[in-house]
Amino acid sequence: MSRITLSRYLIEQTRSHNTPADLRFLIEVVARACKAISHAVSKGALDDVLGSMGTENVQGEVQKKLDVMSNEILLEANEWGGHLAGMASEEMDQAYQIPGRYPKGAYLLVFDPLDGSSNIDVNVSVGTIFSVLRCPERNGATGDLGEEAFLQPGTEQVAAGYAIYGPQTMLLLTLGNGVKGFTLDRELGSFVLTHDDIKVPETTQEFAVNMSNQRHWEAPVQRYVSELLAGESGPLEKNYNMRWIASMVADVHRILTRGGVFMYPRDGRDPAMPGKLRLMYEANPMSFIIEQAGGAATNGTQRILDIQPTSLHQRVPVFLGSKEEVERVTAYHQE
Ligand code: AHM
Ligand code: MG
């Protein structure tokens, strides 16, 4: 049987679901950038790409060389094609303006260029997360594109995906009709459809959370996790296993493959930081993918995709994965 490449999948989407040609092009460009990032990541110490830049991003996090390189790869790949009105990234304080010498397009691209920064230097899976929105009407305005254009709830995403740079490089993608998984064939240089119609199992016996933060969590999360830990003799009457990779892409990828619940709860240390993960380029794209795969995603009290963003780098608590567990921990927040 002939293999379905990402390009063929996208062309077939245009035929069956009217996916616009410029969106198709956008996804292809992002995928090409992910191949370049995958290549850079795989070189590691050979190309002297490990370690820090000695700079901090807007969130006060130390930037790794590969964080900065990945950001540049995505910007350069996407700025000239005429498909975007602007970009925003974890690694940039403000929205990135498409240089005046290039045409502007209908879409906005938001990304975390290299998620799982703490794993870069230790040869553990990292990834790229991206979200695509439509640029609101600018009514003839010609000045810089402001942050407001990006502040749309996750329900407005027209596409979302992530690339995971692990033992295989894979691209997981949703255009709003299910989730497809493509594996990079390095010899051919193309992403090949290998995982059709991915579904998160509804029930699970696996959870992912950074347990070292336990003492800072709120009561509903304390209760839920203590019930998970109580196992068969506790109220949930089953034993759970725990995994924490500390790369959201890798934890989410495991959940898409074999189920589970992922949590990065609010914690009491800094009221200005309600959780660690960022809404626009981590929680929203991952929640879109998880919902499209039949799972659920909330911030404890609200569906993540319904949250009206108030700033580009806003953080939110995240509970996502198998429906039954996400519903349980969400219900505990309501009691
Ligand atoms: P990053 O985008 O700077 O890499 O931070 C996000 C990462 C997620 O991938 C992961 O789930 C989380 O931070 C891990 O946090 P912790 O260091 O508390 O384990
Ligand atoms: Mg990240």
Side-chain angles (χ1 to χ4, degrees):
M1 206 198 103
S2 69
R3 303 205 295 180
I4 298 179
T5 59
L6 176 66
S7 303
R8 174 167 167 188
Y9 168 74
L10 291 170
I11 285 173
E12 287 176 354
Q13 283 295 298
T14 298
R15 292 182 190 144
S16 61
H17 289 81
N18 290 324
T19 302
D22 50 350
L23 178 59
R24 200 171 77 203
F25 178 69
L26 188 167
I27 304 291
E28 296 238 37
V29 173
V30 170
R32 210 174 301 142
C34 290
K35 282 184 223 172
I37 297 171
S38 171
H39 181 72
V41 167
S42 73
K43 289 290 176 183
L46 294 175
D47 277 3
D48 192 27
V49 293
L50 303 182
S52 299
M53 288 291 288
T55 50
E56 281 188 358
N57 66 13
V58 59
Q59 355 251 339
E61 298 160 343
V62 174
Q63 289 180 302
K64 303 275 186 174
K65 288 184 198 168
L66 276 167
D67 284 327
V68 174
M69 285 172 67
S70 305
N71 194 54
E72 278 165 10
I73 289 172
L74 279 157
L75 295 177
E76 278 172 22
N78 280 286
E79 67 180 7
W80 54 269
H83 51 291
L84 290 181
M87 292 184 255
S89 156
E90 173 174 327
E91 302 303 335
M92 294 180 300
D93 197 349
Q94 281 157 13
Y96 180 82
Q97 307 297 324
I98 301 297
R101 59 188 182 280
Y102 302 126
K104 292 185 185 55
Y107 296 102
L108 300 172
L109 178 66
V110 191
F111 49 83
D112 177 353
L114 203 58
D115 179 60
S117 299
S118 72
N119 282 323
I120 293 175
D121 293 344
V122 294
N123 201 2
V124 170
S125 297
V126 290
T128 298
I129 311 174
F130 66 94
S131 161
V132 182
L133 297 159
R134 274 191 199 85
C135 186
E137 259 319 311
R138 299 201 66 207
N139 298 321
T142 51
D144 278 1
L145 186 69
E147 161 166 340
E148 333 71 66
F150 292 83
L151 304 181
Q152 309 176 38
T155 47
E156 296 299 314
Q157 293 172 102
V158 293
Y162 66 82
I164 176 168
Y165 313 118
Q168 303 101 45
T169 285
M170 287 189 70
L171 180 76
L172 277 277
L173 175 69
T174 184
L175 300 173
N177 51 63
V179 181
K180 305 283 173 184
F182 301 84
T183 305
L184 180 61
D185 182 326
R186 287 184 195 276
E187 282 74 42
L188 298 180
S190 44
F191 279 107
V192 177
L193 182 65
T194 47
H195 296 64
D196 203 6
D197 200 23
I198 296 172
K199 291 284 173 229
V200 182
E202 266 189 33
T203 59
T204 182
Q205 286 181 240
E206 212 159 65
F207 70 98
V209 71
N210 182 347
M211 283 298 297
S212 71
N213 296 326
Q214 184 176 22
R215 66 193 182 285
H216 304 294
W217 299 335
E218 295 177 321
V221 183
Q222 296 283 3
R223 171 185 170 195
Y224 176 61
V225 175
S226 70
E227 290 181 4
L228 296 173
L229 295 174
E232 234 162 33
S233 53
L236 305 182
E237 296 175 337
K238 56 178 176 175
N239 293 324
Y240 285 79
N241 199 2
M242 197 198 91
R243 289 284 184 275
W244 183 249
I245 302 174
S247 287
M248 190 189 199
V249 279
D251 281 309
V252 167
H253 192 71
R254 184 188 58 256
I255 288 170
L256 280 172
T257 310
R258 67 176 190 214
V261 55
F262 170 95
M263 297 173 265
Y264 215 114
R266 177 191 302 277
D267 87 35
R269 275 171 293 184
D270 180 357
M273 250 179 75
K276 177 179 184 189
L277 301 176
R278 276 60 49 116
L279 176 61
M280 301 290 300
Y281 41 81
E282 290 174 327
N284 268 343
M286 289 310 204
S287 300
F288 189 21
I289 293 168
I290 287 284
E291 283 198 7
Q292 284 294 315
T298 76
N299 66 356
T301 53
Q302 190 184 6
R303 182 183 174 215
I304 292 208
L305 296 183
D306 285 335
I307 298 173
Q308 172 60 51
T310 53
S311 68
L312 214 44
H313 301 288
Q314 167 179 1
R315 297 176 194 255
V316 284
V318 174
F319 302 88
L320 63 76
S322 297
K323 216 171 194 163
E324 191 180 272
E325 297 298 335
V326 174
E327 283 172 359
R328 194 194 319 275
V329 64
T330 305
Y332 288 2
H333 282 81
Q334 275 141 21
E335 277 173 27

